[in-house]
């Protein structure tokens, strides 16, 4: 309701030229800000290299540009560091580079550089370790520098991740922080999550239910968040049907702000002279319609999932596979 009537456009296209080379282009535009970008991804025996560049124009601050170089290498199973993953990123943003956003005014800033490097390694079937480094600077001065070490334990339905980091920021005292995340799967339907962030003294505990069927089923979440000043609850319930998707959620954004939202999604599809109602379509769909005695006997269903079908003909029309 804050957006009113100004138009906004976003488009992205990626084309795989070969098994080792992909090219992409993208564009975004609002009334005041426009962005155009290009991307290239190359896969080699020494790793995957990606390069992204974008230029922007804003009525208030003029033209800007940004570039990002990414590298990723996965150590094969037969290597000394088998199942290790290394990634690195280098990014530059000019002083007038800004993303199209109708809700935030565009402002000039110092040109910034960001460098990141991460390495993770599987130690055994149950343990993994990792380390990372990131550095953000502008005009030769460090704005933020972070070192972190991550450890993980996976045992049956129990997953535990612990991250310890040291952060140094401009105009702030350097400090240590820890983040603990725990997951326990009771079975295929019930999962418990718990986390603690020592920097913000924030903890969350959450129960999540996922229906055994993937269609005509409910998913639910119920959780509690604790801070030094208050305790808040949140939750959501979601229904996935053949003809629609419904979701009701309550979330805590900050001490003074809560968000309650209701989402409903459906689609009206058309093919070969026939209309049908479906849950939201992803990329493409298939419609299945019966005739004659088969239609009189109740129609057809396709893709059985346990005791149910992913698509089924009923009083609302033909069966639709929306993916």
């Amino acid at each position: 309701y804050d957006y009113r009537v100004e138009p906004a456009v976003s488009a992205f296209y990626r084309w795989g030229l070969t098994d080792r080379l992909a090219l992409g282009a993208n564009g975004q535009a609002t009334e005041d800000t426009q962005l155009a970008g290009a991307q290239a991804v190359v896969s080699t025996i020494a790793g995957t290299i990606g390069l992204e560049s974008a230029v922007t124009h804003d009525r208030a601050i003029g033209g800007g540009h940004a570039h990002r170089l990414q590298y990723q290498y996965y150590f094969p199973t037969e290597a000394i560091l088998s199942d290790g993953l290394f990634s690195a990123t280098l990014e530059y943003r000019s002083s007038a580079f800004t993303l199209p956003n109708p809700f935030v005014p565009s402002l000039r800033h110092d040109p910034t550089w960001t460098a990141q490097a991460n390495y993770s390694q599987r130690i055994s079937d149950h343990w993994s370790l990792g380390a990372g480094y990131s550095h953000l600077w502008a005009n030769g001065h460090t704005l933020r520098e972070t070192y972190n070490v991550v450890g993980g334990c996976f045992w049956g339905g129990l997953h535990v991740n612990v991250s310890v980091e040291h952060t140094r920021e401009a105009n702030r005292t350097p400090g240590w922080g820890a983040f603990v995340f725990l997951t326990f799967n009771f079975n295929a339907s019930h999962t418990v999550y718990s986390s603690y962030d020592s920097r913000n003294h924030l903890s969350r505990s959450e129960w999540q239910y996922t229906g055994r069927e993937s269609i005509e089923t409910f998913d639910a979440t119920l959780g509690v968040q604790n801070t030094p000043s208050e305790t808040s609850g949140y939750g959501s319930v979601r229904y996935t049907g053949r003809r629609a998707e419904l979701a009701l959620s309550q979330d805590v954004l900050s001490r003074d702000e809560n968000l309650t939202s209701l989402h409903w999604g459906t689609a009206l599809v058309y093919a070969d002279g026939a209309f049908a109602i479906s849950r939201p379509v992803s990329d493409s769909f298939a419609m299945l319609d019966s005739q004659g005695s088969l239609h009189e006997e109740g129609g057809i269903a396709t893709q059985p999932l346990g005791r149910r079908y992913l698509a089924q003909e009923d009083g609302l029309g033909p069966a639709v596979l929306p993916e």
Side-chain angles (χ1 to χ4, degrees):
Y1 56 88
D2 286 332
Y3 188 47
R4 294 185 289 273
V5 297
E6 293 84 356
V9 178
S10 180
F12 174 86
Y13 184 77
R14 180 181 288 180
W15 183 23
L17 292 174
T18 69
D19 290 343
R20 295 186 175 276
L21 174 63
L23 300 178
N26 61 85
Q28 297 179 13
T30 62
E31 187 175 5
D32 295 324
T33 310
Q34 299 81 43
L35 177 148
Q39 177 190 55
V41 181
V42 181
S43 175
T44 72
I45 193 173
T48 302
I49 302 171
L51 176 63
E52 296 177 83
S53 293
V55 294
T56 61
H57 179 268
D58 184 86
R59 287 182 177 179
I61 62 176
H65 57 95
H67 313 276
R68 178 187 296 135
L69 179 65
Q70 295 177 298
Y71 173 76
Q72 188 176 78
Y73 181 74
Y74 180 79
F75 292 84
T77 304
E78 62 274 11
I80 298 176
L81 299 174
S82 62
D83 293 328
L85 178 63
F86 174 77
S87 63
T89 302
L90 180 64
E91 179 179 305
Y92 171 78
R93 295 191 176 198
S94 70
S95 60
F97 179 80
T98 182
L99 297 176
N101 188 334
F103 305 110
V104 179
S106 300
L107 299 174
R108 281 188 171 270
H109 53 82
D110 292 331
T112 60
W113 287 87
T114 304
Q116 293 180 317
N118 294 278
Y119 179 77
S120 61
Q121 174 69 54
R122 184 176 67 87
I123 304 301
S124 68
D125 291 339
H126 303 291
W127 297 91
S128 66
L129 290 174
Y133 172 79
S134 66
H135 192 174
L136 171 66
W137 69 96
N139 294 329
H141 300 287
T142 297
L143 301 181
R144 185 175 63 253
E145 186 178 32
T146 302
Y147 303 85
N148 70 80
V149 178
V150 181
C153 171
F154 314 93
W155 211 288
L158 178 64
H159 294 183
V160 180
N161 285 280
V162 179
S163 174
V164 179
E165 69 176 30
H166 181 269
T167 302
R168 180 169 63 93
E169 295 184 85
N171 302 322
R172 297 186 66 177
T173 303
W176 290 89
F179 184 81
V180 181
F181 184 79
L182 180 149
T183 304
F184 184 72
N185 296 309
F186 288 97
N187 52 44
S189 299
H190 298 273
T191 305
V192 172
Y193 300 90
S194 185
S195 65
Y196 177 71
D197 182 356
S198 69
R199 296 292 298 271
N200 299 309
H201 302 288
L202 185 149
S203 63
R204 290 174 75 117
S205 296
E206 178 179 303
W207 165 79
Q208 189 176 97
Y209 171 77
T210 303
R212 294 181 179 273
E213 307 286 349
S214 60
I215 197 69
E216 291 192 326
T217 187
F218 284 91
D219 300 330
T221 298
L222 186 63
V224 61
Q225 175 176 291
N226 290 285
T227 65
S229 59
E230 65 175 356
T231 299
S232 305
Y234 63 93
S236 66
V237 60
R238 179 184 181 90
Y239 172 75
T240 302
R242 296 191 184 93
R243 308 295 184 179
E245 292 179 348
L246 300 170
L248 176 65
S249 66
Q250 165 72 24
D251 202 3
V252 181
L253 302 181
S254 65
R255 180 177 179 179
D256 301 318
E257 186 175 7
N258 295 297
L259 174 66
T260 301
S261 61
L262 174 65
H263 295 268
W264 166 71
T266 192
L268 178 64
V269 299
Y270 171 83
D272 196 28
F275 287 93
I277 298 174
S278 165
R279 66 183 184 278
V281 173
S282 174
D283 294 329
S284 60
F285 70 93
M287 184 190 299
L288 301 97
D289 194 9
S290 63
Q291 297 180 353
S293 60
L294 181 60
H295 183 77
E296 295 172 358
E297 292 295 328
I300 59 175
T302 184
Q303 290 202 12
L305 299 171
R307 296 169 295 175
R308 302 176 186 178
Y309 293 90
L310 193 60
Q312 185 171 346
E313 199 174 354
D314 55 26
L316 293 176
V320 180
L321 291 170
E323 299 173 353

